[in-house]
Amino acid sequence: SDCACTVLIGPLICVYCFDWTVDLTVCVQGTLKGFDQTINLILDESHERVFSSSQGVEQVVLGLYIVRGDNVAVIGEIDEDTDSSLDLGNIRAEPLNSIVH
Amino acid sequence: MCISVLQLFYSFFKSLVGKDVVVELKNDLSICGTLHSVDQYLNIKLTDISVTDPEKYPHMLSVKNCFIRGSVVRYVQLPADEVDTQLLQDAARKEALQQKQ
């Protein structure tokens, strides 16, 4: 009875994963191709959005990724119109805190 | 947490579908939205979301709907008048008693 993930296959999504090594939450965008019960994900054409408090958003191309479900925090469905109107160069933000259990 | 208690909260959340809630994550990010669905793992899907502090968290500016993995939820803030706390308390007590047997 997996509820919500099914509708996210196909459109562009961003996945907030946490990176245990560096103390922050990483934002990866891509096309969700598949998932399973533990929210392991197959993400195609993925790129990472790096937020910084001192400079604009940087995008790093990653390609085809499998993300282990343990690391997934939030999967957001991106509204492409809103996203293309964002001025990434002018967005400043602290990286998100890491998930602490 | 044992299966039947999870089942209790799964049923509880199912009764709140359509209501506005605020989900606070373990990385201190709070997301406000309408509860669209929940599953047996207490993964939550919210629609029409807004981050409670968008200045600090511009990371989700282009996201309207999101899926939140149950394991990263710290709190779910509920509208007080939508919850029958007495009923919930009674159900939880019954559950606890059944487990002892």
Side-chain angles (χ1 to χ4, degrees):
Chain A
S1 58
D2 198 10
C3 66
C5 243
T6 14
V7 301
L8 294 171
I9 294 190
L12 188 64
I13 58 156
C14 57
V15 182
Y16 300 91
C17 323
F18 27 107
D19 187 337
W20 301 108
T21 55
V22 195
D23 213 20
L24 49 79
T25 303
V26 166
C27 172
V28 177
Q29 275 191 273
T31 311
L32 182 63
K33 292 296 191 188
F35 66 94
D36 67 5
Q37 293 280 62
T38 55
I39 320 293
N40 293 324
L41 307 174
I42 301 171
L43 219 52
D44 199 3
E45 295 158 0
S46 63
H47 46 277
E48 182 186 326
R49 279 206 174 157
V50 186
F51 290 84
S52 158
S53 47
S54 56
Q55 50 177 332
V57 177
E58 194 193 322
Q59 306 220 77
V60 180
V61 174
L62 303 171
L64 180 62
Y65 257 36
I66 291 181
V67 181
R68 192 179 154 88
D70 294 349
N71 300 298
V72 175
V74 176
I75 305 178
E77 189 182 337
I78 295 193
D79 179 66
E80 303 219 41
D81 291 334
T82 317
D83 200 57
S84 47
S85 69
L86 286 180
D87 184 8
L88 292 176
N90 275 326
I91 295 179
R92 303 281 182 277
E94 292 293 326
L96 292 164
N97 292 339
S98 78
I99 299 281
V100 182
H101 292 290
Chain B
M1 225 198 303
C2 70
I3 306 299
S4 47
V5 175
L6 264 176
Q7 188 63 29
L8 185 129
F9 282 99
Y10 172 39
S11 306
F12 171 66
F13 279 118
K14 275 203 293 192
S15 73
L16 290 174
V17 166
K19 308 283 186 281
D20 289 338
V21 297
V22 179
V23 181
E24 183 178 322
L25 306 183
K26 290 175 179 172
N27 66 353
D28 307 327
L29 177 66
S30 281
I31 305 174
C32 170
T34 308
L35 184 63
H36 175 273
S37 50
V38 65
D39 67 11
Q40 52 178 321
Y41 305 107
L42 305 186
N43 294 326
I44 290 171
K45 178 159 184 208
L46 297 178
T47 54
D48 211 15
I49 64 151
S50 57
V51 174
T52 52
D53 192 353
E55 284 280 305
K56 190 173 177 206
Y57 301 110
H59 314 75
M60 299 187 66
L61 283 174
S62 19
V63 176
K64 296 280 188 290
N65 309 317
C66 71
F67 168 93
I68 302 170
R69 199 175 192 262
S71 60
V72 304
V73 174
R74 182 186 288 145
Y75 302 124
V76 179
Q77 294 167 24
L78 312 164
D81 46 0
E82 297 289 357
V83 179
D84 186 341
T85 45
Q86 196 54 53
L87 196 66
L88 189 59
Q89 227 177 54
D90 292 343
R93 274 206 197 99
K94 235 171 56 173
E95 204 57 57
L97 275 170
Q98 276 174 5
Q99 273 160 48
K100 275 192 185 169
Q101 287 159 9

